[in-house]
Amino acid sequence: TNVLGGSKQDQLDRIRADIRDFKRSNGLETVLLMWTANTERFCEIQEGVNDSAVNLLAAIARGEDEISPSTIFAVASILEGCCYINGSPQNTFVPGVVELAEERAVGIAGDDFKSGQTKVKSVLVDFLISAGIKVRSIASYNHLGNNDGRNLSDPLQFRSKEIS
């Protein structure tokens, strides 16, 4: 499966090892990580947890709940010297991640690709209006199971999308 077990520190160590193995086995000098998973819940910025690089690394070692999977991936990427692009709307780049990236001179970017049906509908509506067609209604059907919709029905997850 694609689910990492163990503690948050175990997950961080595993991701870092996977990055190194991928680089080595493919003879690469540079690797860029891109996060494209479903929206996570919005993480609160907490003093002593994710407010600085030192606190963030210690919080991962302690297994703090406020450390999200995307933040663990971002930290692993930064520690391995790989740029990280966040394609989902949650606040992956808490102050500790930003500080760590700055300290290590590793690029981080992104807060939402906005690549789903909302974007397609927005572009389509603009096109139709510019063609002189009055749009009265738009309906969507998610034929892939609507996992994103189910995920966003949770108020904490929706807050991330709402902010982006």
Side-chain angles (χ1 to χ4, degrees):
T1 67
N2 292 323
V3 177
L4 296 178
S7 69
K8 291 184 186 231
Q9 185 66 54
D10 293 339
Q11 293 168 7
L12 176 67
D13 294 342
R14 166 72 188 275
I15 297 162
R16 291 186 69 188
D18 286 350
I19 293 168
R20 288 190 300 270
D21 290 345
F22 181 81
K23 247 176 131 170
R24 185 179 55 255
S25 66
N26 290 284
L28 302 172
E29 291 181 25
T30 304
V31 171
L32 177 143
L33 270 72
M34 185 179 309
W35 179 270
T36 60
N38 275 349
T39 304
E40 297 172 330
R41 72 173 177 79
F42 187 85
C43 290
E44 298 299 327
I45 309 304
Q46 295 181 349
E47 187 175 332
V49 174
N50 52 15
D51 59 333
S52 73
V54 170
N55 289 342
L56 178 60
L57 293 171
I60 291 170
R62 290 191 310 268
E64 292 282 347
D65 288 339
E66 212 53 39
I67 308 302
S68 68
S70 65
T71 295
I72 294 172
F73 270 83
V75 168
S77 181
I78 293 164
L79 292 175
E80 292 304 318
C82 303
C83 292
Y84 183 90
I85 299 174
N86 178 38
S88 296
Q90 68 276 346
N91 61 331
T92 298
F93 300 142
V94 294
V97 169
V98 174
E99 184 179 299
L100 186 64
E102 288 172 348
E103 288 174 0
R104 304 236 174 186
V106 174
I108 58 173
D111 68 357
D112 192 352
F113 288 153
K114 296 194 183 295
S115 58
Q117 67 173 326
T118 302
K119 185 65 171 179
V120 172
K121 287 188 293 189
S122 298
V123 170
L124 183 59
V125 167
D126 285 345
F127 170 77
L128 293 172
I129 290 171
S130 68
I133 299 170
K134 181 178 180 182
V135 179
R136 296 179 76 195
S137 176
I138 293 179
S140 299
Y141 173 73
N142 188 328
H143 64 278
L144 297 176
N146 198 24
N147 287 331
D148 195 43
R150 186 177 313 117
N151 187 43
L152 291 175
S153 68
D154 182 304
L156 292 174
Q157 260 87 328
F158 183 74
R159 181 169 180 223
S160 292
K161 187 73 169 172
E162 185 177 43
I163 289 169
S164 82

